[in-house]
Amino acid sequence: MEKPLSTTPFTLSTELDIAAIDAHLKDGLLRLRIPKVAEALPSRIEARLG
């Protein structure tokens, strides 16, 4: 017997890189990797005292 397909729509933030979404389905578990666009990633700055 075939299992019915299921769909769940959702909206993604504009800070996410939708072109780089990666999805894997294994043992009934769907894993999504949705990275942020480079502009949305935190950046490190150096602060000097004195």
Side-chain angles (χ1 to χ4, degrees):
M1 176 184 256
E2 243 182 81
K3 293 182 180 180
L5 295 177
S6 173
T7 62
T8 304
F10 52 94
T11 303
L12 298 177
S13 167
T14 57
E15 293 182 342
L16 301 176
D17 186 358
I18 60 171
I21 292 175
D22 186 35
H24 293 279
L25 180 62
K26 183 178 178 183
D27 299 326
L29 179 63
L30 177 62
R31 292 181 183 253
L32 296 173
R33 187 178 78 61
I34 310 172
K36 288 185 176 182
V37 291
E39 296 84 27
L41 294 174
S43 59
R44 184 172 282 194
I45 59 169
E46 185 177 329
R48 296 182 187 180
L49 297 176

